[in-house]
Amino acid sequence: MAPRTSPRSFVRQNLGPLLVAAPAVTPSFAGPRTVGLVAMLAVVAQTVIGVLRDPDELLSANHEAQILALIVVGICLVLFCVVRERRAKEMEQVRYVSEAAQQVVLPPLPKRLGPLRTAVMYLAAEAEARIGGDLYAAARTASGTRVIVGDVRGKGMTAVSDAALLLGAFRVAAHRHAPLEELVAYLDRSVRWDVVEPEGTGRFDETFITATILEIPDRDSRVQMISCGHPPPVVLSEGRPVTMRALRPAPPLGLGELTDPRYHVESFPFEPGDLLLLYTDGVTEARDPSGTFYPLTDRITGWTENGCDAFLSRFRRDLLNHVGGHLDDDAVMVALERTVAPQL
């Protein structure tokens, strides 16, 4: 019959190798200082265990190897925590800069624009980059509101720069009393001026911007629209969505000189109480785990949320549930609601 091992003897013989678990677990909830302290205590405990087990064994090769292993593991974990905290601070700075850039390039729309209530949803595909090539803006005129929603081809800082260029041109020109087709022609030229090569070779970059530009009169229930290769707006009336497809769409902004477009202004009804939805292809091209695109009109059929904010809150949840919580592309949706009593 094997001799029974006392608890004290068990601790002496088996606790030493387990001490490495203490500093290994600590980084999951603590920083480098705490990890270093726990590692130091583990080294002290390992030394004490060696003394209690057999003072003559304290300087044995086996015990020295265990102590050395604890020291090495502790140093590595402390360095890991230092790098992790530095990375976290860098990411926090990146988020801060991204949020600041978004406030400058894409400031939130006013909650009221004349007779319109507004709400905007911007979902970034990358958590570190809160802004990309999707864009929106609105401007009040003497007779109504002009709105643009667009999507720059490409990603990264180039897309952000192109979006800022177009938004600046829109904000400057939208207040003028020029017809909508003249405004769109000006925006197309603004994009082309930016992408043409400085050597004057006549060749163009591959940059272009899809966009929908609307003019929503204060005293008229019909919206004027020019679509430049962008997904069509949707009007939700008493829970029934209707897609307002352009019969004569124009090419994306920046490609006008290649096709010499004649911009055709189309119109559709937008009655008091209706909800007008503008969005980018990050919405309709969002896929679920099986690869199915987000069926926008099917999903929002029957929605009768009271107000733009409530609608977009529900829409955000539904879209993220469809894709499993993560988008592969940035997505923007602008919701506009015409009030019953227009404010002129």
Side-chain angles (χ1 to χ4, degrees), residues 3-177:
R4 181 176 299 177
T5 304
S6 67
R8 185 175 180 180
S9 176
F10 177 83
V11 169
R12 291 176 180 176
Q13 295 176 9
N14 299 282
L15 183 59
L18 298 178
L19 285 174
V20 71
V25 172
T26 307
S28 62
F29 59 86
R33 293 184 179 180
T34 304
V35 172
L37 176 61
V38 172
M40 183 178 66
L41 293 176
V43 171
V44 173
Q46 182 73 4
T47 304
V48 171
I49 290 174
V51 172
L52 293 177
R53 181 187 298 172
D54 186 355
D56 297 333
E57 190 185 342
L58 178 59
L59 298 179
S60 66
N62 178 54
H63 202 76
E64 285 181 351
Q66 293 183 21
I67 294 175
L68 181 60
L70 273 175
I71 293 174
V72 172
V73 169
I75 292 175
C76 292
L77 290 173
V78 170
L79 293 176
F80 165 77
C81 290
V82 170
V83 173
R84 182 184 63 182
E85 287 196 351
R86 184 177 301 172
R87 175 63 174 169
K89 290 180 180 179
E90 291 175 353
M91 297 305 300
E92 185 178 353
Q93 292 176 349
V94 169
R95 293 190 184 98
Y96 175 79
V97 172
S98 298
E99 290 173 357
Q102 186 175 40
Q103 291 297 317
V104 173
V105 179
L106 287 177
L109 296 180
K111 292 297 184 181
R112 295 296 295 263
L113 289 168
L116 304 176
R117 294 192 181 97
T118 72
V120 177
M121 179 191 71
Y122 191 110
L123 294 177
E126 299 294 337
E128 296 81 6
R130 305 294 180 89
I131 184 172
D134 290 9
L135 59 96
Y136 60 84
R140 287 287 295 163
T141 67
S143 60
T145 302
R146 285 178 167 175
V147 181
I148 183 172
V149 171
D151 187 2
V152 180
R153 178 190 178 278
K155 298 181 180 296
M157 292 306 300
T158 301
V160 175
S161 175
D162 293 334
L165 169 79
L166 179 61
L167 290 172
F170 174 81
R171 291 173 180 132
V172 169
H175 299 281
R176 300 173 182 173
H177 298 287

Side-chain angles (χ1 to χ4, degrees), residues 55 63 100 110 128 134 198 222 241 274 283 299:
H63 202 76
E128 296 81 6
D134 290 9
R222 294 197 70 82
D274 290 351
V283 173
R299 297 296 283 256

